[in-house]
Amino acid sequence: MIKKCLFPVAGYGTRFLPATKSMPKEMLPVVNKPLVQYGVEEAIAAGMDQMAFVTGRGKRAITDHFDISYELEHQIAGSNKESYLTSIREVLDKARFTMTRQREMKGLGHAILTGETLIGNEPFGVVLSDDLCLNNGGDSVMAQMVKLYKQFRCSIVAIQEVPADQTEKYGVIAGESLKDGLYRVDDMIEKPSPEEAPSNLAIIGRYILTPDIFDILRDTPPGKGGEIQLTDALLQQAKNGCVMAYKFEGRRFDCGSVDGFIEATNFVYENVYKAQ
Ligand code: G1P
């Protein structure tokens, strides 16, 4: 039912300089697979088959990754090295890819609005590939959210409890608890100080958005950091109708930070790569 997934991938990746000077941060490999491919595989596992990328200058490697490399295919055809291409071939078979460029960096909300041309008037998933979400053996985080969407038909954000001193790194929600791990959002603040934070429930980079978000984003003034914030638009959407927040099952690694990236690498090496 939800066919499209939007990937805002225009950000600079300054925390990983110099590695990200000429390489997109989304192409950093966790063991042998680029971060963005984990996100695409998660979306495919949730039944989505159209991947929409909001890219920027210097991000061509992402476009190339989701295309055939004719030379490489030709070079290793029939050799025992072909198996190394299995995972990306599967991805290419199962999904189509569209791209548009965000010309100026004006925040996550602006990136999502830039993607409107690829999404149109239908509900869609959003994956921030910095957040690597794994649920070994169980439903992918996006698949869990699609199930909920079928029930509630409104925007859904993934959340996780964080220590009180970490709220400044996230959008933070407050809401009425409907059942274990599910909240109806009534407040949402982008990167609040611990004093301002309405709870310790932080938004993680997985969303399902209904398309009315685009009109709301068009009217959303710059917020935290002078950027157009998705969090502010979602609060408006919650006031207009309904936004749910869902404490997902699985593990999330903050691969936008060096510590989280190393933790993810160790975890994937031990639990996924070696287990193959
Ligand atoms: C973005 C969102 C924030 C969310 C976070 C999840 O922030 O603006 O609300 O909690 O992603 O990773 P960023 O990390 O891009 O600064």
Side-chain angles (χ1 to χ4, degrees), residues 108 128 131 170-171 190-191 203-205 207 229 231 252:
L108 179 59
L128 308 184
D131 281 328
Y170 301 95
E190 180 66 9
K191 305 201 170 84
I203 303 172
I204 298 311
Y207 307 78
Q229 296 295 348
T231 302
R252 168 258 179 180

Side-chain angles (χ1 to χ4, degrees), residues 154-166:
C154 65
S155 290
I156 304 169
V157 300
I159 51 167
Q160 189 178 46
E161 281 181 36
V162 295
D165 63 354
Q166 305 261 310

Side-chain angles (χ1 to χ4, degrees), residues 18-272:
T20 49
K21 186 169 173 239
S22 65
M23 181 181 75
K25 61 174 172 159
E26 296 80 8
M27 290 302 294
L28 288 171
V30 172
V31 186
N32 59 344
K33 197 188 283 182
L35 262 176
V36 66
Q37 189 180 328
Y38 288 92
V40 169
E41 288 178 358
E42 184 184 329
I44 290 173
M48 299 171 184
D49 64 2
Q50 295 173 52
M51 308 297 152
F53 290 84
V54 177
T55 72
R57 286 176 292 278
K59 298 281 182 165
R60 280 186 52 185
I62 299 176
T63 312
D64 288 341
H65 187 70
F66 294 106
D67 191 2
I68 295 279
S69 165
Y70 182 76
E71 262 181 57
L72 185 62
E73 296 275 347
H74 179 76
Q75 200 68 40
I76 68 175
S79 81
N80 59 1
K81 293 183 183 140
E82 270 198 284
S83 62
Y84 293 120
L85 281 180
T86 305
S87 77
I88 186 64
R89 278 181 178 163
E90 274 176 17
V91 163
L92 294 182
D93 281 347
K94 288 182 180 155
R96 288 186 287 140
F97 298 84
T98 56
M99 323 277 167
T100 190
R101 272 196 184 189
Q102 187 183 8
R103 287 193 291 257
E104 295 170 279
M105 300 299 134
K106 292 192 201 164
L108 179 59
H110 179 255
I112 301 287
L113 188 54
T114 305
E116 181 182 19
T117 179
L118 305 175
I119 299 294
N121 189 26
E122 56 187 279
F124 60 103
V126 175
V127 167
L128 308 184
S129 21
D130 281 357
D131 281 328
L132 175 59
C133 293
L134 299 170
N135 187 20
N136 236 346
D139 279 351
S140 76
V141 173
M142 195 50 96
Q144 296 169 40
M145 293 171 75
V146 167
K147 273 192 190 157
L148 271 182
Y149 178 78
K150 287 181 181 159
Q151 208 182 334
F152 292 99
R153 308 268 166 168
C154 65
S155 290
I156 304 169
V157 300
I159 51 167
Q160 189 178 46
E161 281 181 36
V162 295
D165 63 354
Q166 305 261 310
T167 57
E168 245 152 344
K169 297 204 294 198
Y170 301 95
V172 178
I173 70 118
E176 176 199 352
S177 170
L178 297 186
K179 57 179 181 183
D180 208 22
L182 190 66
Y183 300 81
R184 190 185 171 114
V185 171
D186 52 38
D187 198 8
M188 212 178 224
I189 306 180
E190 180 66 9
K191 305 201 170 84
S193 66
E195 297 74 41
E196 290 169 314
S199 76
N200 69 338
L201 299 172
I203 303 172
I204 298 311
R206 297 292 182 276
Y207 307 78
I208 288 181
L209 301 176
T210 53
D212 52 312
I213 198 73
F214 295 126
D215 279 339
I216 300 174
L217 279 167
R218 256 184 284 281
D219 289 339
T220 302
K224 193 91 185 182
E227 297 187 329
I228 297 173
Q229 296 295 348
L230 178 59
T231 302
D232 296 344
L234 279 164
L235 177 58
Q236 189 55 50
Q237 204 179 35
K239 287 180 179 161
N240 295 351
C242 175
V243 171
M244 308 295 285
Y246 169 60
K247 224 191 261 179
F248 57 91
E249 281 168 30
R251 287 193 64 159
R252 168 258 179 180
F253 299 92
D254 171 17
C255 291
S257 76
V258 172
D259 288 349
F261 186 85
I262 299 300
E263 203 189 325
T265 301
N266 289 330
F267 183 87
V268 170
Y269 179 65
E270 288 299 333
N271 299 283
V272 183

